[in-house]
């Protein structure tokens, strides 16, 4: 065992840092994103460790300290990247857990590397955790780690949180390795989900496919107990709200409005370019709206941001082509030299630019076909400090459980979505304010820090 062990260990697919090129050469920089900023203070406070992949294949660098966190890099080979990550994680689990919106593929040649990589993470965690330490494992890439770790280190408090939906029995039951996955998760003391539905689905399949018995949210297998519960993730509400009120963002939002055309209504979509996010259906709905309201074409503009994602996977390359073709069709059919109906950006934006867009948008379109939570929905609400703006939200995003006064839609229904966009654009101000105020109350002061706190507290009981 290593001489420097830790009292709190985070285990995630990725490390909270990435190697980036700077003027001084290659340097490690903290990765953007809510999860990293939520967990960092916890780990720092306890002098804890974070185990994860660096994002590049080949041999892993030695462990190193970064901002008071001990980082333990896990090496992934090119073959594992193809079979474990692109294959089993993103070709089997991702579509299956998202309601099989794409057909999941089941290959034994993907499963074996999944087991091997999970074993490597478990071994490295066992070497890193102090006696009686708390270990928090994240997401669908590492579902076997809790039981593998428990075998080696029964003294640990092990928690697992799933960031994506946990599917219902009729879907989960298709997985050839369903029992192994469930027994893997049941190695944890606490298994957390984004919504109560996820926890409920998990308890049901454990009763059906394992020998576990359940009572009031607790499962018992071989005399060991696992609590299954919902811990909805949130955002750093204060950070978004104060950025939204800053002069620089206010000015930039005003500029965006002017550039888009004075008086024009701005509709915004912000997503990772993923087939679960419903970007293509959304574009078809916008096209439908324009064809119904030809006299008002110049009144609206749709801004769609799409962060590049999983570009090695065929499905994702095809999705990109389909989305870009649809954008081209809409602009070709409804645009003219002085008006472009869809502005499409295929890249990540700096934080202040993103917030300025949230502030400039009259209508926010969040229409995933399935989504664990969807942080974009909560980010938009957090930036509406003046209760302005309207949000259209998919019934199938975890966020819909909390943001009940959003205009909720079935994201598969092109006509319904076109009608809801029209309704959003003509919603009386008073009604829009009432709805947004309720959403802001729903998020309230429950931040991503409270989320992390409540999970760690549940784990320490
Ligand atoms: P994701 O599927 O990645 O997360 P989401 O929750 O929407 O989805 O988070 C996306 C993040 O990327 C947001 O913070 C957003 O601001 C940012 N982003 C998107 N487009 C951007 C752009 N063009 N420029 C800059 N930033 C951009 C998974 C699950 C979700 C769950 C989260 C957290 O799929 O359901 O909410 O984990 O648990």
């Amino acid at each position: 065992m290593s001489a420097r062990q830790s009292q709190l260990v985070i285990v995630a697919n990725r490390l909270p840092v990435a190697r980036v090129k700077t003027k001084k050469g290659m340097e490690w920089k903290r990765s953007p994103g809510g999860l990293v900023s939520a967990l960092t203070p916890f780990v720092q406070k306890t002098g804890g460790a974070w185990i994860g992949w660096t994002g590049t294949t080949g041999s892993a660098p030695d462990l190193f300290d970064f901002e008071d966190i001990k980082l333990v890099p896990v090496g992934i080979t090119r073959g594992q990247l193809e079979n474990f990550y692109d294959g089993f994680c993103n070709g089997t689990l991702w579509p299956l857990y998202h309601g099989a919106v794409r057909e999941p593929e089941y290959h034994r040649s993907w499963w074996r590397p999944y087991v091997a990589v999970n074993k490597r993470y478990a071994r490295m965690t066992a070497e890193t955790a102090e006696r009686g330490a708390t270990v928090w494992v994240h997401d669908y890439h590492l579902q076997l780690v809790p039981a593998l770790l428990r075998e080696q280190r029964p003294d640990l408090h092990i928690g697992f949180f799933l960031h994506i939906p946990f599917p219902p029995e009729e879907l989960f039951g298709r997985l050839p390795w369903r029992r192994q996955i469930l027994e893997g998760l049941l190695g944890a003391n606490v298994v957390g989900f984004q919504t109560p539905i996820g926890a409920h689905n998990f308890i049901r399949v454990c009763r059906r496919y394992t020998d576990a018995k359940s009572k009031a949210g607790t499962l018992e297998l071989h005399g060991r107990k696992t609590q299954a519960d919902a811990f909805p993730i949130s955002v750093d509400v204060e950070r978004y709200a104060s950025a939204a009120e800053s002069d620089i963002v206010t000015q930039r939002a005003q500029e965006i409005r002017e550039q888009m055309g004075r008086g024009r209504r701005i509709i915004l979509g912000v997503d990772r370019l993923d087939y679960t996010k419903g970007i293509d259906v959304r574009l078809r709905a916008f096209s439908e709206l324009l064809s119904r309201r030809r006299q008002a074409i110049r009144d609206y503009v749709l801004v769609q941001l799409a962060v590049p994602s999983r570009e090695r996977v065929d499905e994702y390359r095809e999705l990109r082509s389909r989305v870009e073709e649809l954008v081209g069709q809409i602009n070709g059919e409804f645009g003219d030299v002085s008006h472009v109906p869809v502005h499409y950006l295929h890249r990540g934006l700096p934080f202040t630019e993103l917030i300025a867009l949230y502030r400039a948008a009259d209508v926010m379109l969040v229409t995933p076909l399935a989504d664990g939570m969807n942080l974009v929905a909560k980010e938009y609400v957090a930036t509406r400090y003046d209760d302005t703006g309207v949000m259209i939200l998919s019934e199938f995003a975890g966020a819909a459980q909390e943001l009940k006064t959003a205009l909720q839609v079935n994201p598969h229904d092109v006509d319904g979505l076109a009608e809801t966009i029209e309704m959003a654009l003509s919603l009386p101000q008073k009604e829009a304010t009432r709805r947004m105020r309720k959403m802001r109350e729903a998020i309230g002061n429950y931040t991503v820090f409270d989320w992390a706190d409540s999970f760690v507290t549940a784990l320490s009981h």
Side-chain angles (χ1 to χ4, degrees):
M1 281 195 197
S2 133
R4 292 169 53 226
Q5 293 187 321
S6 303
Q7 204 28 252
L8 175 66
V9 183
I10 302 292
V11 191
N13 178 45
R14 294 294 293 265
L15 284 174
V17 293
R19 219 160 150 68
V20 292
K21 211 173 174 168
T22 66
K23 282 183 196 138
K24 293 186 237 156
M26 295 301 282
E27 274 185 44
W28 293 102
K29 281 251 179 296
R30 199 203 276 206
S31 306
L35 184 69
V36 171
S37 48
L39 298 180
T40 301
F42 268 93
V43 192
Q44 283 168 333
K45 210 164 52 192
T46 55
W50 190 308
I51 300 179
W53 178 44
T54 56
T56 50
T57 55
S59 59
D62 288 338
L63 57 88
F64 60 100
D65 285 332
F66 181 88
E67 294 179 357
D68 296 328
I69 300 180
K70 180 164 100 175
L71 298 184
V72 185
V74 181
I76 298 269
T77 63
R78 177 147 287 281
Q80 283 168 337
L81 183 66
E82 279 165 21
N83 296 303
F84 156 77
Y85 186 69
D86 295 342
F88 198 75
C89 291
N90 292 328
T92 306
L93 295 173
W94 180 265
L96 182 69
Y97 282 29
H98 286 91
V101 292
R102 287 289 182 285
E103 193 56 37
E105 289 183 44
Y106 308 102
H107 299 297
R108 285 166 296 173
S109 57
W110 287 356
W111 165 250
R112 285 188 289 264
Y114 185 80
V115 177
V117 171
N118 272 254
K119 280 188 175 161
R120 166 129 25 102
Y121 272 85
R123 183 167 32 80
M124 294 178 79
T125 310
E127 286 167 6
T128 306
E130 245 177 44
R131 178 141 205 89
T134 295
V135 176
W136 188 359
V137 185
H138 287 263
D139 231 0
Y140 59 104
H141 317 85
L142 301 174
Q143 293 171 102
L144 304 178
V145 169
L148 290 167
L149 187 57
R150 169 83 50 210
E151 268 171 35
Q152 302 168 57
R153 295 288 307 273
D155 58 299
L156 300 175
H157 298 273
I158 305 172
F160 178 93
F161 183 77
L162 185 71
H163 289 260
I164 65 176
F166 192 88
E169 184 178 336
E170 56 275 26
L171 286 180
F172 187 80
R174 293 183 194 177
L175 188 64
W177 306 279
R178 59 197 183 193
R179 188 181 48 78
Q180 290 93 317
I181 295 276
L182 295 176
E183 289 179 355
L185 292 169
L186 287 170
N189 300 86
V190 178
V191 181
F193 300 88
Q194 299 277 24
T195 63
I197 304 164
H200 170 83
N201 288 344
F202 175 68
I203 291 171
R204 263 188 86 142
V205 291
C206 282
R207 289 172 58 145
R208 170 99 194 251
Y209 300 118
T210 73
D211 295 331
K213 303 273 175 285
S214 78
K215 200 172 161 196
T218 300
L219 288 145
E220 190 169 337
L221 182 66
H222 311 314
R224 265 209 54 262
K225 289 194 173 131
T226 301
Q227 179 198 344
D229 216 340
F231 297 86
I233 198 167
S234 185
V235 296
D236 183 349
V237 179
E238 176 52 34
R239 176 166 183 248
Y240 283 85
S242 63
E245 287 190 82
S246 68
D247 290 346
I248 180 166
V249 164
T250 308
Q251 240 171 45
R252 180 66 191 131
Q254 187 56 31
E255 251 170 54
I256 292 171
R257 292 190 149 282
E258 275 162 24
Q259 284 161 354
M260 293 289 168
R262 206 172 277 253
R264 240 171 226 158
R265 312 295 300 283
I266 302 175
I267 304 162
L268 177 66
V270 175
D271 309 82
R272 224 167 16 77
L273 189 51
D274 192 294
Y275 53 77
T276 60
K277 301 291 181 184
I279 302 170
D280 45 351
V281 188
R282 185 184 309 166
L283 286 166
R284 282 164 49 215
F286 185 61
S287 172
E288 177 64 31
L289 173 71
L290 296 180
S291 61
R292 284 185 198 176
R293 300 275 311 260
R294 285 192 176 264
Q295 75 292 354
I297 283 172
R298 301 177 66 83
D299 296 349
Y300 319 128
V301 53
L302 171 64
V303 179
Q304 177 64 57
L305 308 186
V307 191
S309 182
R310 303 179 192 167
E311 292 184 302
R312 286 182 309 273
V313 181
D314 287 346
E315 277 283 350
Y316 286 75
R317 283 202 295 265
E318 283 157 25
L319 172 73
R320 178 176 176 189
S321 306
R322 195 159 59 251
V323 163
E324 293 182 354
E325 196 178 319
L326 274 166
V327 171
Q329 269 169 15
I330 299 172
N331 286 341
E333 186 175 347
F334 301 104
D336 59 44
V337 284
S338 62
H339 177 55
V340 178
V342 184
H343 291 252
Y344 167 74
L345 279 78
H346 181 242
R347 69 182 97 104
L349 291 190
F351 181 69
T352 49
E353 185 69 6
L354 180 66
I355 307 302
L357 274 159
Y358 284 149
R359 286 299 303 163
D362 298 291
V363 175
M364 186 75 214
L365 266 177
V366 184
T367 60
L369 308 179
D371 217 332
M373 177 54 66
N374 196 297
L375 295 179
V376 169
K378 291 189 171 179
E379 289 168 9
Y380 181 67
V381 171
T383 64
R384 310 312 294 191
Y385 58 84
D386 49 0
D387 294 327
T388 57
V390 179
M391 185 157 63
I392 297 179
L393 179 59
S394 163
E395 294 165 16
F396 306 127
Q401 306 290 315
E402 292 160 83
L403 305 176
K404 293 200 189 312
T405 52
L407 297 179
Q408 296 205 359
V409 287
N410 171 356
H412 298 272
D413 176 5
V414 175
D415 282 335
L417 188 47
E419 278 156 25
T420 311
I421 301 174
E422 225 176 333
M423 185 175 147
L425 289 163
S426 56
L427 201 66
Q429 189 53 54
K430 218 171 140 191
E431 176 64 4
T433 306
R434 184 188 71 80
R435 286 174 178 269
M436 185 54 74
R437 187 170 298 145
K438 287 251 178 246
M439 285 192 272
R440 294 212 314 115
E441 280 166 17
I443 295 190
N445 296 320
Y446 182 78
T447 69
V448 71
F449 305 106
D450 300 311
W451 165 79
D453 207 13
S454 66
F455 190 90
V456 173
T457 305
L459 195 48
S460 60
H461 284 145

